[in-house]
Amino acid sequence: MFEPGRLCVKIAGRDAGKTCVIVKKIDDLIVLIDGETRRRKCNVRHLEPLEKTVDLNEDASHDEVKAVFEKFGLVVRDTKPKKSTERAKKQHKKKVKPVKVPKGQKKKKKVAAKKVEAPVVEKKPEVKTASDAAAAYVKEEVKK
Amino acid sequence: MVSGKFKSRTFRRVKITTPGGENKISYRHRAPAKPKCGGCGAILKGVPRARKSEIVNMPKTAKRPERPYGGVLCSKCTRAKIKDQARQTKI
């Protein structure tokens, strides 16, 4: 039933309802189809065979199928060959290689700058209120 | 006190926690009925169950399957219909 040259209608998928012809039998279940549908492998369970067959060589090219289909007034789906889009390649920053020091010479150690300590100013307790001043005065008196 | 329209069960109720930590009830629209096949009545796959206003903003490919009768008939009914059409037509 599903031999090369058999016209079929695809009943499943986005190409459903479109006529196609079997180009090649790949497996018990899987065939290669072409025509109004895309040129693709297909399960025979997704095909409804028609009564008509056409003369086609096995593994016929897309142009041969196109010539046959134009006789029936059917429009063959043409897929344009994909063009690889040119993308601007990213320019990576080059890493600067460290300069190698020959053996024997030691690397100079970085001399850490000594911190200059700021002179600590001793703060004298400031007398704020009159009562504190009085308390401080009493303490001094006691010490004497 | 809730507004009068929220007292009926037209809206569904969802418990939410506000940013301030309060528990409140918010009122949302109910989802529409699931889309069904025109032939056998089975639930359609690949068709969103959402309000019209949400579906309008979706891309076309998200609204229905990309096959003839997609979004109207289920896949089984579509196959049966195309088979019948193919047997009647003569090339």
Side-chain angles (χ1 to χ4, degrees):
Chain A
M1 183 65 98
F2 293 101
E3 68 279 351
R6 168 72 66 184
L7 283 174
C8 297
V9 174
K10 201 154 186 298
I11 56 171
R14 57 182 174 178
D15 286 334
K18 289 176 179 174
T19 46
C20 60
V21 66
I22 291 171
V23 177
K24 189 185 177 184
K25 194 169 184 181
I26 293 165
D27 201 347
D28 286 349
L29 280 175
I30 296 166
V31 289
L32 182 72
I33 59 168
D34 200 354
E36 281 187 326
T37 62
R38 283 147 242 265
R39 188 183 174 92
R40 56 175 292 168
K41 287 182 206 169
C42 178
N43 195 321
V44 294
R45 284 170 187 164
H46 299 162
L47 294 173
E48 177 65 18
L50 298 174
E51 289 178 4
K52 205 155 199 172
T53 54
V54 292
D55 291 330
L56 260 186
N57 300 323
E58 194 173 335
D59 216 351
S61 67
H62 180 68
D63 292 333
E64 285 177 279
V65 174
K66 198 174 179 179
V68 170
F69 265 61
E70 279 172 359
K71 287 178 191 173
F72 298 112
L74 298 171
V75 183
V76 174
R77 184 195 166 87
D78 284 319
T79 47
K80 290 175 188 172
K82 281 181 183 175
K83 283 182 183 177
S84 59
T85 52
E86 290 181 7
R87 281 186 190 173
K89 285 184 179 177
K90 279 185 181 177
Q91 289 183 344
H92 293 286
K93 285 178 184 175
K94 286 182 180 178
K95 283 182 181 177
V96 181
K97 286 183 180 179
V99 181
K100 282 184 180 178
V101 181
K103 284 178 183 177
Q105 292 183 8
K106 285 186 178 178
K107 284 181 183 177
K108 286 180 182 176
K109 284 184 180 177
K110 284 182 182 177
V111 181
K114 284 180 183 176
K115 287 179 182 176
V116 181
E117 288 181 3
V120 180
V121 182
E122 288 180 8
K123 285 181 181 177
K124 287 178 182 177
E126 289 179 5
V127 181
K128 286 177 182 177
T129 56
S131 59
D132 288 345
Y137 179 76
V138 172
K139 276 185 181 178
E140 280 176 18
E141 285 282 288
V142 173
K143 280 178 185 176
K144 283 174 186 177
Chain B
M1 190 70 189
V2 291
S3 173
K5 64 184 173 182
F6 292 136
K7 286 181 186 174
S8 74
R9 286 286 175 168
T10 312
F11 292 82
R12 67 191 176 96
R13 293 165 189 199
V14 181
K15 286 177 183 175
I16 56 161
T17 311
T18 58
E22 270 184 287
N23 291 326
K24 287 204 162 185
I25 292 172
S26 104
Y27 297 85
R28 308 269 170 85
H29 283 288
R30 288 183 189 276
K34 288 176 184 175
K36 293 193 177 63
C37 170
C40 60
I43 293 163
L44 290 179
K45 288 172 182 174
V47 183
R49 187 188 182 185
R51 310 209 98 214
K52 187 77 178 174
S53 57
E54 291 166 13
I55 290 174
V56 164
N57 292 330
M58 285 180 187
K60 205 168 188 180
T61 50
K63 291 175 193 170
R64 78 281 182 276
E66 273 201 289
R67 78 171 101 84
Y69 307 106
V72 179
L73 294 179
C74 69
S75 62
K76 279 182 185 176
C77 291
T78 310
R79 281 182 198 202
K81 188 156 193 169
I82 293 171
K83 262 187 186 179
D84 287 349
Q85 286 173 1
R87 285 173 189 180
Q88 287 167 12
T89 55
K90 285 177 182 176
I91 297 171

